[in-house]
Amino acid sequence: MKLILHSLAGILLLFLPNIVAAQSLAVSPTKLEVPTGASQTSLTVKADGGGAAVLQMRVMSWREGQDPNKLKPTRDVVVSPPVAKLKPRQELTVRIVRTKKRAVRRRECYRVLVDRLPDRRTNGQVVKLQVRHSLPLCFSS
């Protein structure tokens, strides 16, 4: 019985790359703390997997200590570039800048969303997942 199960598992593994398109995304650092007086920071994003990766990056307003899914759009902080296409295992340094004119009072927090969008070119029976990183970003006064 074990031999049959192991044989079936082996056969399944042969066909698995055609069923699931593995995509991953590495982000560093995972928490962004901008020191007093500074208005910018950077983030490194690395795409892993077999194909090119299309990334979308945004900054959303967020209150520290609240649910990280409770976000509001903002223009107080921007990310550059907001969209990028990376080759497999390529790294990208993303710049994050606070554009708000008023000085930081106490502590201002945001979330940086980095999405790896599903590849639209794949056909057939492939599982397509969107990979998202949501990173805390805080400016101190």
Side-chain angles (χ1 to χ4, degrees), residues 8 17 26 32 34 39 44 54 62 76 84 91 95 100 126 137:
L8 288 173
L32 300 161
V34 182
S39 63
T44 301
V54 177
W62 170 68
D76 295 340
E91 285 189 2
R95 186 172 168 201
K100 190 174 185 179
V126 176
L137 164 67

Side-chain angles (χ1 to χ4, degrees), residues 3-104:
L3 182 59
I4 293 172
L5 289 175
H6 287 288
S7 297
L8 288 173
I11 292 169
L12 179 63
L13 287 175
L14 289 173
F15 294 104
L16 192 59
N18 295 326
I19 298 171
V20 178
Q23 305 289 325
S24 67
L25 184 65
V27 179
S28 176
T30 57
K31 184 177 184 181
L32 300 161
E33 291 282 342
V34 182
T36 303
S39 63
Q40 65 182 4
T41 188
S42 63
L43 176 69
T44 301
V45 181
K46 182 178 180 183
D48 293 325
V54 177
L55 306 178
Q56 176 184 10
M57 291 148 295
R58 310 173 270 165
V59 179
M60 306 291 277
S61 180
W62 170 68
R63 185 170 290 175
E64 190 173 27
Q66 286 192 345
D67 181 356
N69 294 317
K70 192 173 183 182
L71 306 172
K72 294 179 184 175
T74 186
R75 291 188 178 181
D76 295 340
V77 180
V78 295
V79 61
S80 179
V83 177
K85 185 173 184 178
L86 301 180
K87 296 175 184 173
R89 294 175 295 286
Q90 182 181 1
E91 285 189 2
L92 172 69
T93 300
V94 178
R95 186 172 168 201
I96 301 165
V97 180
R98 182 179 183 272
T99 58
K100 190 174 185 179
K101 301 294 181 202
R102 191 175 61 204
V104 176

